[in-house]
Amino acid sequence: MNSPEVLVSLTLLVLVSLSTLVCCKRPDSVNVGAILSYDTVIGKAAKIAMEMAVDDINKDPSILNGTEFKLIMEDSNCSVFLGSMKAFQVIDREVVAVLGPQSSAVAHMISQIATALQVPLLSFSATDPTLSSLQFPYFLRTTQSDLYQMVAMADLIETYRWKEVIAIHVDDDYGRNCITVLGDELQKRKAKIHYKLPLPPQYDLNDITDVLNRSKPLGPRVYVIHLNPDPLFRIFNIAEKLHMMTNDYVWLTTDWFCTTLGTLSPKNKVPLKMLQGVVGLRQYTPEKTREKSFQSRWIEMQDNGLISSELNFYGLYAYDTVYTVAHSINKFLDDGNNITFAVSDKLQNVKESEIQLGKLRTFVSGDNLRKILLETNFTGLTGKVEFNSDRNLEPCSYEIINIVQMDIRAVGYWSNTTGISISPPEFLKPVNTSFSSWDQKLGNVTWPGGRKERPRGWVIGDDERPLKIGVPKRASFVEFVTELENHTVQGYCVDVFREVLKLVPYGLPFNFVPYGDGLVNPHYDDIVRLVQSEEFDAAVGDIAIVTNRTMIVDFTQPYISTGLVIVAPIRNSDSSAWVFLKPFTWEMWAVTAASFVMIGIVIWILEHRVNDDFRGPPKRQIITMFLFSMSTLFKTNQEDTVSPLGKMVMVVWLFLLMVITSSYTASLTSILTVQQLPSSITGIESLIASNLPIGYQVGSFAYNYMTDSLSISPSRLIRLNTPEDYERALRKGPKNGGVAAIVDELPYVELFLSNQTDFRIVGQSFTKSGWGFVFQKDSPLAIDLSTAILKLAEDGGLQKLHNKWFCKKGCAGSRLHDAEPNQLNFSSFVGLYIVFGSVTILAFTIFLLRTTRQYIRLKKKERDPSSPLSAKTSFYKKLNDFFDFIDEKEEAIKRRFRGDHPAPQTTSSSEG
């Protein structure tokens, strides 16, 4: 081998060896940046905690193996602009990572810079959930994301069954994005943020006063407060002055509140007095020995005058963040990575200026360090430090606290693995399936004003702002609801609403607002849409609960059942096999049958003593009674009446029988022979197939149902407005410009038919529905009024109101279903039956008195004068003797009076 070749080989070997030595050599120091807001609750504690962490790391050679950890801090002063400038200044000093920023708004800006220059950004206090998006791959969150906090808040709201809340938030990325997440979580639980009231990032007392005053007229009374830590608790100070810390209100806060509480010294509990009843979320980690030791060390530094601020959770997270970076840098160096920087291709063409952006350099191995950071797994002051797939700490837990009598009490816990519970999460088993907060429990909570029971959480209407309740101004069927000329609103539906309100356990001021011109019935879909658009707070009237309406509003429990039915002219019923029964109602048939039984018994009693045809064995006498009563109907009776009383009763009975039979014959003849209005409609199927015109009520949902669901051509449908229009159209018929049938809801039809005899309901109801009161979507009033409607129905109140309005002349429904056209009712013959009954009772009374007098006279005559007077006969024996006396023939009694025969010693013979 030639010497030049050997020389080149040796030179390359030396260069490779030197390169390896350079790569493996650990740097004397490593720079890490930090961007804080020094003069804030979080910044004060975080700055001290981070300095303590750096000091602890540099004193422990086992962490970085002799490499000095240098922390370069800059103050962003809570400004996005200044924070961005400070980020450039820090990165320009060749830092391998940036801690912070403290604010989510600043973090959004700096994350863009960190991504471009491949510098990992670890924030211990920026909780905006959107920072975990794929847009910011170099952003790692070393605190708990507000995504979990908003889920915890939504579970808390669901636990107390509140459906609407007011959110007051700071109007920046931190506030807006978190409240958006809360709204999404509440929507999953069928609740919502009804109003979002933003505050400027640098808000003052006037801003707070304006926001709270704007919220007072609103319905919800559950407030979710999501602000930055405020040592003065200004929002609650103003709320107390506005009398909003009373038992009508609920105040729920995110963890900014508990962070602020951490700034209060143990001796200063005065602010807690105005915070009575506030419920808040506080980040929770199980207490560890290291955490207790660190807290003791902090207190010792306070006692020595070295620090003046109080320790809070973000201070603990800041301490752990420094350790997270230190451990990852150590592994990064152990893996043979170099801390080198290179000029970015994207910045090569940037002209130099005072900021000198062109000199910013990219951290060459920044992606390697980021991957090592994501693999972090150690136990710090706050517990286990480990990142999930979204670069957030996992797991996540919150403590639910309540301010009671100037004391901070824990009433429960929330974890993303166990939900809400009374016990700390570490003592519970993780829930593998989805859990519902309805099944979760909390400890006893004291609410504002010292209230112990759950607040209702809303008020709807007060004397200054009563509810605007829309009512249809009907032109027909005004018995249900309409406005009178004196501008008062009345009707069956209105009375039901007023009675229901009496059962609601709170006052509800309201004003009725008529809708319509009173000339034509309004369209009820329009009224429902006005409730949806919040022009009306509710609507009361004969409003049917149908599917398309329930999609945009909420209905109460139905207070009356209804459905679509068909009204048509009466058909000839001569083809019925039982047509002979139709002249009488069932009630009339029953009374007539009872009359035949009665006449047979009465005539037997009156004729038994004087007429041999009514005597004989018991079986023969029963047959005689039956045959006699029936024979009077056909005038074929073989037995003649003998007694004067029997003849008197028979005269009245035969007259009654003549009238009944004549009426029956006439009614049957009418049913069989009289030509009635013809109709081929037997039900909805035949109506659809007939292609005949159909009438419907203006404003009813029947039009949409027939066109959309039944596919009936709109050209067949005829608008009708009043009951008079109904009658006129039905009588004309389809050939004369009228209609073959009318489709309408059952209550209207029953009211129409109550005064008509030529029309009737054909077939069965082909929809099932009901009328309810209308409220805006998710209105809590719908639930309370539904409960009250059920109570009113159970107490019979609904039926009483129905009878009041629709049963003044007898209930239409009973008349419709109990009687057929041309049927004869008992009421038509009640006078005759009174005469017949009176004569029958008179004859029986005369017979009984006469027989009793005769029995007494005979007993006196036959009594033996020599028998002792003290002998007494039992009542049963006397009664038995009396019946034996009645059973004897009249002729035998007369012979006994003459003394021809002794008194009988036994009961009547087989002949008597």
Side-chain angles (χ1 to χ4, degrees):
M1 185 179 291
N2 297 327
S3 58
E5 294 177 355
V6 174
L7 181 62
V8 171
S9 300
L10 291 174
T11 302
L12 291 175
L13 181 61
V14 170
L15 290 174
V16 172
S17 301
L18 290 174
S19 177
T20 305
L21 290 172
V22 171
C23 291
C24 295
K25 183 180 179 182
R26 297 179 70 92
D28 294 333
S29 64
V30 61
N31 294 336
V32 176
I35 300 174
L36 309 175
S37 297
Y38 293 167
D39 193 24
T40 61
V41 171
I42 295 176
K44 290 177 181 179
K47 184 176 183 297
I48 298 170
M50 294 171 76
E51 289 173 346
M52 294 171 65
V54 171
D55 187 55
D56 292 343
I57 290 169
N58 288 330
K59 288 181 179 178
D60 188 352
S62 64
I63 297 179
L64 284 174
N65 294 321
T67 299
E68 182 182 4
F69 190 105
K70 289 185 178 181
L71 187 63
I72 303 170
M73 291 191 184
E74 292 290 347
D75 184 7
S76 68
N77 200 24
C78 292
S79 168
V80 176
F81 176 74
L82 287 177
S84 301
M85 295 301 101
K86 297 297 183 181
F88 284 119
Q89 293 177 13
V90 168
I91 293 175
D92 188 47
R93 298 178 65 175
E94 297 186 346
V95 296
V96 298
V98 176
L99 308 186
Q102 184 179 315
S103 165
S104 294
V106 180
H108 273 276
M109 176 63 73
I110 298 180
S111 292
Q112 303 278 6
I113 301 171
T115 301
L117 299 177
Q118 297 182 21
V119 178
L121 182 66
L122 293 88
S123 178
F124 54 86
S125 60
T127 55
D128 177 5
T130 62
L131 287 169
S132 298
S133 66
L134 298 176
Q135 182 184 5
F136 309 116
Y138 280 82
F139 178 86
L140 286 75
R141 197 192 318 271
T142 55
T143 186
Q144 298 181 7
S145 170
D146 275 341
L147 169 65
Y148 299 111
Q149 181 170 204
M150 294 306 139
V151 174
M153 182 63 71
D155 281 349
L156 180 61
I157 292 169
E158 185 188 26
T159 297
Y160 288 102
R161 304 187 301 281
W162 294 312
K163 292 298 182 182
E164 296 180 352
V165 302
I166 294 176
I168 299 178
H169 62 93
V170 61
D171 195 14
D172 60 9
D173 292 331
Y174 159 74
R176 288 190 302 270
N177 294 336
C178 292
I179 293 302
T180 298
V181 173
L182 176 61
D184 294 340
E185 292 297 327
L186 287 176
Q187 190 173 9
K188 296 176 184 177
R189 294 156 178 79
K190 297 182 179 181
K192 66 179 179 179
I193 300 176
H194 204 72
Y195 301 95
K196 297 179 182 179
L197 302 177
L199 283 170
Q202 305 298 327
Y203 58 85
D204 56 23
L205 293 178
N206 291 331
D207 295 323
I208 296 174
T209 303
D210 178 61
V211 163
L212 292 181
N213 278 327
R214 281 193 288 130
S215 73
K216 289 183 73 174
L218 306 178
R221 285 292 183 265
V222 179
Y223 288 77
V224 177
I225 312 300
H226 186 59
L227 303 173
N228 292 315
D230 180 9
L232 300 177
F233 299 100
R234 288 173 293 174
I235 191 167
F236 295 110
N237 196 352
I238 299 299
E240 185 177 40
K241 292 179 180 178
L242 295 177
H243 306 290
M244 297 175 69
M245 298 297 292
T246 61
N247 54 18
D248 288 333
Y249 291 82
V250 175
W251 296 92
L252 307 177
T253 67
T254 53
D255 63 353
W256 71 269
F257 176 73
C258 295
T259 301
T260 309
L261 289 177
T263 64
L264 300 178
S265 65
K267 298 179 180 180
N268 180 21
K269 291 190 176 182
V270 175
L272 295 180
K273 185 175 182 181
M274 71 175 176
L275 303 176
Q276 169 81 8
V278 176
V279 175
L281 296 176
R282 178 166 62 188
Q283 296 190 34
Y284 172 77
T285 57
E287 286 195 4
K288 304 292 184 182
T289 305
R290 285 192 62 197
E291 180 185 348
K292 292 181 179 180
S293 175
F294 186 80
Q295 290 175 343
S296 301
R297 181 179 167 191
W298 189 283
I299 294 172
E300 183 180 352
M301 293 175 68
Q302 282 181 320
D303 295 339
N304 294 333
L306 299 177
I307 58 176
S308 58
S309 63
E310 297 292 334
L311 177 63
N312 55 48
F313 268 91
Y314 289 104
L316 299 176
Y317 281 118
Y319 186 93
D320 283 348
T321 302
V322 176
Y323 264 85
T324 299
V325 173
H327 285 301
S328 297
I329 291 174
N330 183 59
K331 190 175 187 303
F332 173 83
L333 294 175
D334 286 344
D335 290 345
N337 293 291
N338 282 328
I339 300 177
T340 57
F341 296 86
V343 176
S344 172
D345 295 337
K346 298 178 182 179
L347 298 176
Q348 284 181 350
N349 297 325
V350 177
K351 294 182 180 180
E352 292 187 4
S353 63
E354 290 185 1
I355 304 178
Q356 297 182 343
L357 294 177
K359 293 185 178 181
L360 292 175
R361 292 186 292 175
T362 302
F363 183 18
V364 176
S365 301
D367 187 56
N368 291 338
L369 179 58
R370 181 183 71 92
K371 292 178 180 177
I372 293 173
L373 283 166
L374 290 174
E375 296 173 355
T376 299
N377 189 347
F378 74 98
T379 301
L381 298 182
T382 58
K384 191 174 184 180
V385 180
E386 183 180 11
F387 295 103
N388 61 16
S389 58
D390 293 326
R391 308 182 304 283
N392 295 312
L393 284 188
E394 183 76 21
C396 185
S397 301
Y398 286 90
E399 188 176 23
I400 302 171
I401 61 102
N402 179 214
I403 309 299
V404 183
Q405 297 178 351
M406 298 182 66
D407 189 21
I408 303 173
R409 297 181 184 177
V411 294
Y413 301 87
W414 180 92
S415 167
N416 60 332
T417 58
T418 60
I420 288 178
S421 63
I422 296 178
S423 303
E426 61 267 25
F427 298 120
L428 301 175
K429 293 182 179 180
V431 180
N432 295 324
T433 58
S434 60
F435 52 85
S436 171
S437 292
W438 288 77
D439 302 324
Q440 312 298 307
K441 293 183 179 180
L442 288 174
N444 295 328
V445 176
T446 300
W447 304 100
R451 184 173 185 166
K452 298 294 185 181
E453 62 274 10
R454 180 189 76 92
R456 191 168 69 241
W458 54 269
V459 293
I460 299 183
D462 52 32
D463 293 335
E464 296 180 359
R465 184 190 173 274
L467 285 179
K468 290 173 60 179
I469 298 181
V471 292
K473 189 175 181 179
R474 293 193 59 89
S476 63
F477 297 106
V478 294
E479 292 86 349
F480 293 105
V481 59
T482 195
E483 182 189 28
L484 304 180
E485 293 181 357
N486 59 359
H487 301 296
T488 60
V489 177
Q490 72 169 25
Y492 165 72
C493 302
V494 174
D495 281 2
V496 171
F497 180 72
R498 294 184 187 277
E499 290 300 317
V500 166
L501 288 187
K502 294 178 182 178
L503 300 177
V504 176
Y506 47 83
L508 193 67
F510 65 90
N511 288 330
F512 284 129
V513 181
Y515 178 79
D517 56 12
L519 303 176
V520 179
N521 294 332
H523 287 277
Y524 284 15
D525 284 343
D526 295 339
I527 298 178
V528 172
R529 280 190 286 269
L530 289 174
V531 175
Q532 180 200 18
S533 63
E534 300 185 7
E535 186 170 336
F536 289 149
D537 295 307
V540 168
D542 45 339
I543 304 174
I545 305 172
V546 293
T547 303
N548 65 317
R549 295 173 182 173
T550 58
M551 293 179 179
I552 59 176
V553 296
D554 280 349
F555 282 88
T556 61
Q557 173 82 14
Y559 58 85
I560 186 173
S561 297
T562 181
L564 291 177
V565 295
I566 301 171
V567 182
I570 299 171
R571 295 192 60 194
N572 191 2
S573 58
D574 56 356
S575 60
S576 172
W578 302 96
V579 67
F580 66 90
L581 295 175
K582 290 189 175 181
F584 287 166
T585 63
W586 289 110
E587 179 187 32
M588 184 63 188
W589 279 116
V591 173
T592 303
S595 301
F596 275 96
V597 175
M598 178 179 175
I599 191 65
I601 294 174
V602 170
I603 293 299
W604 178 83
I605 292 174
L606 297 179
E607 294 292 320
H608 179 67
R609 301 184 69 197
V610 297
N611 193 336
D612 290 337
D613 292 336
F614 291 88
R615 299 184 67 82
K619 181 177 179 181
R620 175 187 168 188
Q621 295 182 49
I622 293 174
I623 295 174
T624 300
M625 281 190 292
F626 175 75
L627 292 177
F628 177 82
S629 63
M630 295 303 298
S631 64
T632 58
L633 177 64
F634 305 106
K635 301 179 178 59
T636 60
N637 49 307
Q638 304 297 323
E639 299 83 2
D640 293 328
T641 53
V642 176
S643 67
L645 293 177
K647 292 180 178 181
M648 181 179 69
V649 171
M650 280 298 297
V651 169
V652 178
W653 166 249
L654 291 175
F655 177 74
L656 172 65
L657 196 60
M658 179 190 68
V659 174
I660 290 176
T661 54
S662 300
S663 300
Y664 174 84
T665 303
S667 178
L668 183 60
T669 302
S670 175
I671 291 174
L672 294 175
T673 61
V674 173
Q675 182 66 36
Q676 301 194 20
L677 295 176
S679 174
S680 60
I681 308 301
T682 58
I684 186 60
E685 292 81 6
S686 59
L687 180 64
I688 296 174
S690 67
N691 288 323
L692 296 173
I694 305 169
Y696 72 94
Q697 183 184 172
V698 176
S700 171
F701 78 96
Y703 178 86
N704 290 336
Y705 183 83
M706 287 189 286
T707 56
D708 298 340
S709 300
L710 302 181
S711 300
I712 297 176
S713 173
S715 61
R716 293 179 56 191
L717 304 181
I718 308 299
R719 291 162 51 97
L720 302 173
N721 195 40
T722 65
E724 291 75 18
D725 295 339
Y726 282 25
E727 182 181 6
R728 192 180 306 113
L730 287 171
R731 290 194 184 282
K732 284 183 178 181
K735 296 182 180 179
N736 299 314
V739 298
I742 293 174
V743 173
D744 204 352
E745 294 180 75
L746 182 61
Y748 303 120
V749 170
E750 288 185 336
L751 191 58
F752 168 66
L753 295 182
S754 63
N755 298 315
Q756 299 291 336
T757 58
D758 295 333
F759 317 106
R760 63 177 296 182
I761 295 174
V762 176
Q764 300 295 322
S765 172
F766 54 92
T767 66
K768 295 296 182 182
S769 182
W771 292 349
F773 304 132
V774 185
F775 291 94
Q776 294 166 10
K777 205 67 177 173
D778 299 321
S779 171
L781 266 181
I783 299 175
D784 287 356
L785 265 69
S786 293
T787 304
I789 288 172
L790 292 175
K791 291 181 181 177
L792 190 64
E794 292 171 358
D795 296 342
L798 284 179
Q799 187 61 44
K800 290 179 182 177
L801 291 173
H802 183 272
N803 296 344
K804 170 188 172 183
W805 282 96
F806 308 117
C807 296
K808 296 176 182 177
K809 297 180 181 180
C811 288
S814 61
R815 292 197 302 273
L816 290 174
H817 299 291
D818 292 344
E820 295 284 346
N822 301 313
Q823 279 190 322
L824 298 174
N825 293 289
F826 171 69
S827 58
S828 303
F829 304 97
V830 66
L832 277 175
Y833 275 104
I834 290 175
V835 172
F836 168 68
S838 300
V839 171
T840 301
I841 293 173
L842 177 64
F844 182 76
T845 303
I846 293 173
F847 169 79
L848 191 61
L849 292 175
R850 176 175 172 273
T851 304
T852 303
R853 176 174 174 273
Q854 195 177 44
Y855 173 76
I856 294 173
R857 288 177 53 207
L858 181 62
K859 286 300 179 182
K860 286 183 178 179
K861 183 172 190 267
E862 293 179 347
R863 188 173 60 193
D864 187 357
S866 62
S867 62
L869 294 177
S870 59
K872 294 184 179 180
T873 307
S874 66
F875 173 78
Y876 174 78
K877 182 65 169 60
K878 290 181 179 180
L879 188 63
N880 191 42
D881 289 345
F882 179 70
F883 281 120
D884 289 340
F885 176 77
I886 293 177
D887 191 50
E888 288 190 69
K889 294 183 65 174
E890 184 73 20
E891 183 180 347
I893 298 300
K894 291 179 180 179
R895 287 198 299 269
R896 289 177 62 183
F897 270 109
R898 292 195 301 268
D900 295 343
H901 298 282
Q905 300 298 320
T906 61
T907 59
S908 60
S909 66
S910 61
E911 298 180 345

